[in-house]
Structure formats: structure tokens, C-alpha cells
Amino acid sequence: MNNSDDLEKLRIILPILAKTSGGYATITDLDGKRLYTIDWNGNELESYRGEIYELAREAAQRNEPQIGYSQIEDQADAWALKVGNYVLSCSNVERIKKEQKFVDALVKALPMIAQVAGGEAVIFNERGERLYSFFSDGKERHELRGQISDQAKQAMLSQEPFVGKSFSTHGAMAVRIPITEKIGFGFNNEKVVSKQQKLYDEVKKFQSAKYRFEDIIGESEQITKTKTLAKFIAEGVSSILIYGETGTGKELFAQSIHNASERRYQPFIAINCGALPASLIESNLFGYEEGAFTGAKKGGSVGAFEQANGGTIFLDEISELEFGLQTKLLRVLQEREVVRVGGFKAKKVDVRVIASTNKQLAHLIGEGKFRDDLYYRLNVVQLTVPPLRERQDDVILLTRYFINKYAYSLGKAAVDIDDNTLTILKKYYWPGNVRELQNCIESAMNMIRGQAMLLPEHLPLYLWQGENQNEALQINFNHESLNLQKAVIQTEKMIIKKALEMNQYKKAKTAEVLGISTPTLWRKLTEYGIE
């Protein structure tokens, strides 16, 4: 094989490498002279041809891969690898530029956000160090720049929003929200303490989805296939319908799909369609104009679709959406525009829709409870998340993950698992799936006192009090039980009763374990006649 053939082969893969790395891909000769440079859109950057790339030259001289920084952008990471008589290099220049552009936009909006929020607004780095700060009157605050907030640092380390006492104002509360791994955003309520939830809504559009595919724990064939399919469909733009029982992690998949898509730097807004009455769901989804109803705030309010513009909206429990609202949602999906409650002007929106349900929508269509045309709009791509009982190989892996998680949060030493405990966990049916397993391990970790071993007696009573713990979930098959609809209802009643029992009949906790809202649980209790 001659050099020209080798060079041509390397040129073919350059656009793929540039797109994957989120930056530039380059071929140089052994002296580091650039021969071809491609950006992540697949365009050749001829202006760089002939320039010496020091990282590539060093890789050729040392005859080993090199990791360093891009010459084009100091903050961008880069690597170089010698391949025959050439050197192949990649950097994440474009990704860094996009992140910086996002941060610049947030800095520019900070004074306005502070004014709207009625309190101080701050941007901090991964160490919790203040970079920018503005008063509620829009003026920059210089005296605290460079100071470190422990709570902001904690938010960045955990990559989760943190609510606590304000760093700068005595008596005020503050919210710290990680935006990227390196930049976070916070605000306090020094002027209007009572508006804390409204303040959070003001910045909700800046927060990206938290979970990624690597956060979905499991190595079984079933979950691996599901993750592979989800990664593939993440690259598209079509609507996605996620099926899965309660507690299987449907929102984890929705957030992971968003974070693996080209919309990952745009908003991810989640709405639980079963958690609020129809009137509140409508105003939350579509927004409302001033004077639209009693209590409507001055100036009106944007809805979830406008907040998610450019990004992704996740409609959880879509099966619980009131039939009349299904028509309005269908129009938004068809026309790609939204009309606020009490308004007449249509606003264009660019939103990818991911919906989820634990019910078979085809059955609801047959019962006249769900629109078939909306179903076809949502079900362009279908993803089914397997229940935990179909991925038994993952039970122990998940158990160890949750043990480590709660050992850290509860301040306990490392804990091992007794063999009898493993047997009980692997044999159990897990009607509440991963969420039930997580709650069981959290409960068990609270029961450990000084031991370094998770024993059966640490588990919730219903798990280990007999070897026939799954009998309550078994269906005695007869001619009538082979009716699928009746079998589903019977099984759901059994699961709800068992969840109530394990949570001492506390409705809020039971709803959390089942992965549904408390109003949905009350509705099912009434529907099934459960006392």
C-alpha cells in the first residue's frame, strides 16, 4: 500500500472523527505540517494547511500517542496519534466554543435575571468560586468576586441543584444549579423570599438534563440492547414514546437521549401529566396571557413548550392527559406552534417531544380515552424499558451501586452483602422495579448499626419474612384471567395493595415507590375500590 492510498483512507474518516469529538480533525506529515483539517460540519479549513502542529510533531518524534491542548483554542483538549507516515489529531474546539457561547449568553442575561428574580444572581466555577455577580437592580457586585461558596462547590461536585442559606445575604435562601461541569448558576431571594419557586422557574430554561447513558446502571443483555437503541434514536429529530412499568427509569432514558442529541445544550423541560388538574396542566404546557383566569400574574407566563424551545420536552404519564387537552397538544405537534391560554397569537416552537407511559395506549384508544391521531404523532419511534425482573443479572450490580451511594450519604463505612441477602434480592419479583430496589437498600442501610455486612434482617420485613414472598403477585390462570385487560387490572391492584402494605399505607410514599403522582394513586384507589 502506497502513501497516497493511506492518506486517502485517513481523509475519509476525518469528518467522522471531527463530528464525534466535537471539534477539528487533522492529518499532518511526520514534521507536524497540516495537510488537511476538517471542522465538525465536515468542511475543510484550507487556511490551516501548511501550519506546523506541535502536538502532532511531538507524537511523530516520540512514536507514541500524545494528549495536550489545541493550538487553535487554548482551552480545548486534543490528542495526536502516529498512523504510518502520517499523524492523526483531534480536538474539541467547537464544543468548547459552544459551551463558551452559552456561558457568554448567560453572563449577558445575568443582570436581567437578577432584576426579574428580585435577588442577587451569580455565576460560579467548578470550585464554587464567584465569577460574576449582579444585584437585583441590575448593577454588578464586585466585592465578593473570587470568594468561594461551599454550597456552590457541593452543587458542582454532585451535579445536582442545591437549595440552602444564601452566601451573601443573612436570612435569605439561595438556589445553586450546575449548568455544565465547569459552570454553575445561582440566585437568592434577598428581596422577595416568598417568590422562591417563581425564581427557580425563571432559570429553569438554563438547566440541562442531568442524566446520561453512563448513569443507567446495568450490564444485562436486555438493558444493553435498550441503551444501544436509545443512543441510536437520540441522533434523530422524531418524537419518541417510551414504554415501561413504574420505577424502570423512563425519565433517565429521556434525559440521556436529550444529552446524546444535538439539542443537549438547549433546555430539557419535564412535565408530569398526571400530577396536576387539567386546568393547571394546560397553563403549564402552553402558558397563559395576563387576565386569562383569576390569579393569572401580570404579563402572563410562558409555558413548557416555549421554555423548551430549541430543546426537548418530556411528557411523563402521557396516558393521564385529559382528553380535551389531547386535542390541543396534537395541534402543537402538527403545526409546531403554541397559543397561550387566553391568547390568540400563535408562537412558533422548535421542540423534540419525548413521552412516556406505563399503560398500553392502544387499549386506551379502544376505550375512547386516548386519541389515535395523537398516538401516531407520539409513537414515531418506540422504546421499551425492560422491568427489573427481566434483567435479574443487574439486581446485584444495582444493589452494590445503591449500597455505595447510601453508605456515602449516610456516613457509613463500606458494606458487603451477605449471601442469604443476595439470594432474597435475586428471587424477589420487584413490582416497583429499580425504584423499589433503591428504596429497599436505602431502608436497609439505615438499619445497619456498626456491622460491615448487609444481612437479611436489615431488609424491609416483607422481603425476607418468608420464602414465598412473591406468591401475592402470582395469577391463578383460568379462562377469565387469560383476558389481557383483566389480567393487567388484577396485577395492578395487587401491586398497589402490596406497595401500600410495605409503606404502612402512607399515600405519598406509596405513590413515590410506584412512580406515579399522589392524585393518580388516589384515583386508582377509588377506581379499584381499595380501602
Side-chain angles (χ1 to χ4, degrees):
M1 187 70 65
N2 58 43
N3 288 343
S4 60
D5 289 336
D6 289 340
L7 183 59
E8 187 58 28
K9 286 183 177 180
L10 292 175
R11 282 188 63 187
I12 291 174
I13 66 172
L14 276 188
I16 300 173
L17 288 174
K19 188 74 172 177
T20 304
S21 63
Y24 296 167
T26 301
I27 301 172
T28 74
D29 62 19
L30 298 182
D31 294 323
K33 185 169 71 173
R34 292 177 184 261
L35 303 179
Y36 299 99
T37 300
I38 302 294
D39 67 19
W40 78 334
N41 291 316
N43 302 316
E44 183 179 358
L45 304 176
E46 295 183 358
S47 60
Y48 292 111
R49 186 177 294 178
E51 289 187 2
I52 300 299
Y53 192 9
E54 289 298 330
L55 189 67
R57 188 174 65 82
E58 189 174 351
Q61 289 179 349
R62 298 189 179 186
N63 198 26
E64 61 183 23
Q66 297 295 309
I67 297 176
Y69 296 98
S70 168
Q71 289 182 187
I72 300 170
E73 178 68 44
D74 290 340
Q75 295 181 348
D77 299 316
W79 56 261
L81 174 69
K82 182 183 176 186
V83 182
N85 292 321
Y86 302 97
V87 178
L88 194 60
S89 303
C90 275
S91 70
N92 59 350
V93 170
E94 290 292 343
R95 184 176 301 167
I96 294 297
K97 286 181 178 178
K98 280 186 173 290
E99 288 186 0
Q100 187 57 49
K101 196 181 217 180
F102 174 77
V103 172
D104 291 342
L106 187 57
V107 171
K108 189 175 181 180
L110 208 58
M112 293 176 282
I113 295 172
Q115 289 178 310
V116 172
E120 183 188 24
V122 179
I123 291 177
F124 46 84
N125 61 18
E126 69 271 25
R127 299 188 302 277
E129 178 184 359
R130 285 171 168 246
L131 304 179
Y132 302 94
S133 172
F134 287 84
F135 287 109
S136 57
D137 60 3
K139 295 179 180 179
E140 188 170 4
R141 187 174 193 173
H142 298 283
E143 68 270 23
L144 295 179
R145 179 179 289 185
Q147 294 198 24
I148 293 176
S149 163
D150 291 335
Q151 293 180 336
K153 183 178 180 180
Q154 183 177 339
M156 295 303 291
L157 287 173
S158 65
Q159 283 295 294
E160 292 185 357
F162 187 94
V163 180
K165 292 181 179 180
S166 171
F167 173 81
S168 60
T169 306
H170 179 71
M173 297 294 290
V175 179
R176 290 91 174 176
I177 303 174
I179 302 299
T180 70
E181 291 183 355
K182 294 185 177 182
I183 293 294
F185 169 73
F187 58 87
N188 67 25
N189 59 347
E190 60 180 317
K191 283 195 172 181
V192 194
V193 174
S194 63
K195 293 183 179 180
Q196 180 173 329
Q197 182 58 45
K198 292 182 180 179
L199 303 184
Y200 185 87
D201 292 339
E202 290 296 330
V203 298
K204 186 165 59 176
K205 53 182 166 288
F206 290 111
Q207 185 182 5
S208 299
K210 177 174 64 174
Y211 295 107
R212 304 176 187 277
F213 284 114
E214 51 265 32
D215 296 316
I216 300 174
I217 308 299
E219 297 176 354
S220 64
E221 180 181 358
Q222 294 87 340
I223 200 67
T224 299
K225 285 183 177 179
T226 306
K227 287 169 70 174
T228 300
L229 176 59
K231 289 177 183 177
F232 178 74
I233 63 179
E235 300 174 3
V237 296
S238 300
S239 298
I240 301 171
L241 184 59
I242 303 178
Y243 278 101
E245 297 177 6
T246 57
T248 51
K250 297 185 288 294
E251 184 164 358
L252 263 69
F253 272 93
Q255 291 195 22
S256 299
I257 289 170
H258 171 80
N259 277 326
S261 73
E262 292 187 352
R263 295 174 180 260
R264 57 186 171 273
Y265 298 120
Q266 301 300 324
F268 176 90
I269 304 297
I271 293 288
N272 188 319
C273 299
L276 295 171
S279 58
L280 291 180
I281 283 290
E282 183 177 18
S283 60
N284 271 269
L285 280 174
F286 311 117
Y288 60 84
E289 297 290 357
E290 180 177 342
F293 49 82
T294 303
K297 70 180 184 181
K298 187 176 181 180
S301 176
V302 298
F305 273 96
E306 288 183 71
Q307 290 177 328
N309 193 28
T312 304
I313 188 168
F314 175 55
L315 303 176
D316 196 12
E317 290 193 56
I318 189 66
S319 57
E320 307 306 314
L321 190 65
E322 194 264 341
F323 195 84
L325 289 182
Q326 294 177 24
T327 304
K328 193 165 184 179
L329 175 60
L330 176 64
R331 185 184 181 281
V332 174
L333 298 182
Q334 287 177 332
E335 305 299 329
R336 295 290 173 180
E337 60 185 28
V338 63
V339 178
R340 294 184 183 181
V341 176
F344 303 97
K345 183 180 178 181
K347 299 184 178 182
K348 288 291 183 181
V349 289
D350 172 24
V351 176
R352 188 181 195 184
V353 177
I354 302 178
S356 75
T357 179
N358 60 357
K359 295 182 178 179
Q360 290 295 328
L361 296 185
H363 296 164
L364 297 182
I365 292 172
E367 296 170 1
K369 296 179 179 178
F370 203 86
R371 294 184 61 105
D372 55 355
D373 44 6
L374 176 59
Y375 170 73
Y376 298 132
R377 277 284 177 181
L378 294 171
N379 195 36
V380 178
V381 180
Q382 187 179 126
L383 182 72
T384 301
V385 182
L388 189 54
R389 64 181 174 276
E390 292 181 6
R391 40 183 292 220
Q392 284 288 337
D393 292 344
D394 291 333
V395 170
I396 303 307
L397 190 66
L398 285 161
T399 298
R400 296 189 188 280
Y401 170 78
F402 290 133
I403 284 176
N404 292 333
K405 175 180 178 179
Y406 291 114
Y408 176 78
S409 63
L410 297 173
K412 296 181 181 290
V415 175
D416 204 354
I417 313 175
D418 177 73
D419 288 342
N420 292 329
T421 307
L422 290 177
T423 301
I424 292 172
L425 294 175
K426 291 180 73 173
K427 283 185 176 181
Y428 184 62
Y429 186 74
W430 298 114
N433 294 291
V434 178
R435 185 180 289 112
E436 182 185 5
L437 173 60
Q438 178 177 357
N439 288 345
C440 286
I441 299 304
E442 181 180 6
S443 172
M445 292 297 291
N446 277 282
M447 296 298 106
I448 294 177
R449 294 290 184 271
Q451 305 100 321
M453 185 73 68
L454 183 64
L455 302 173
E457 54 262 37
H458 295 138
L459 298 173
L461 186 63
Y462 75 94
L463 277 178
W464 63 273
Q465 61 185 352
E467 294 187 1
N468 298 320
Q469 62 264 30
N470 296 326
E471 288 181 0
L473 290 170
Q474 302 302 317
I475 298 175
N476 295 318
F477 285 103
N478 52 44
H479 188 74
E480 182 179 352
S481 68
L482 289 175
N483 181 292
L484 183 58
Q485 183 178 347
K486 291 182 178 179
V488 169
I489 292 174
Q490 181 183 355
T491 303
E492 188 170 60
K493 287 174 65 176
M494 291 178 182
I495 290 174
I496 291 174
K497 286 181 178 180
K498 193 162 188 68
L500 283 166
E501 179 184 342
M502 68 176 278
N503 290 288
Q504 292 79 46
Y505 296 90
K506 295 177 180 177
K507 306 301 187 299
K509 185 66 174 176
T510 299
E512 180 184 350
V513 170
L514 292 173
I516 59 179
S517 65
T518 304
T520 299
L521 175 61
W522 278 108
R523 186 171 63 251
K524 290 182 181 293
L525 293 176
T526 303
E527 181 182 346
Y528 295 145
I530 300 174
E531 293 293 336

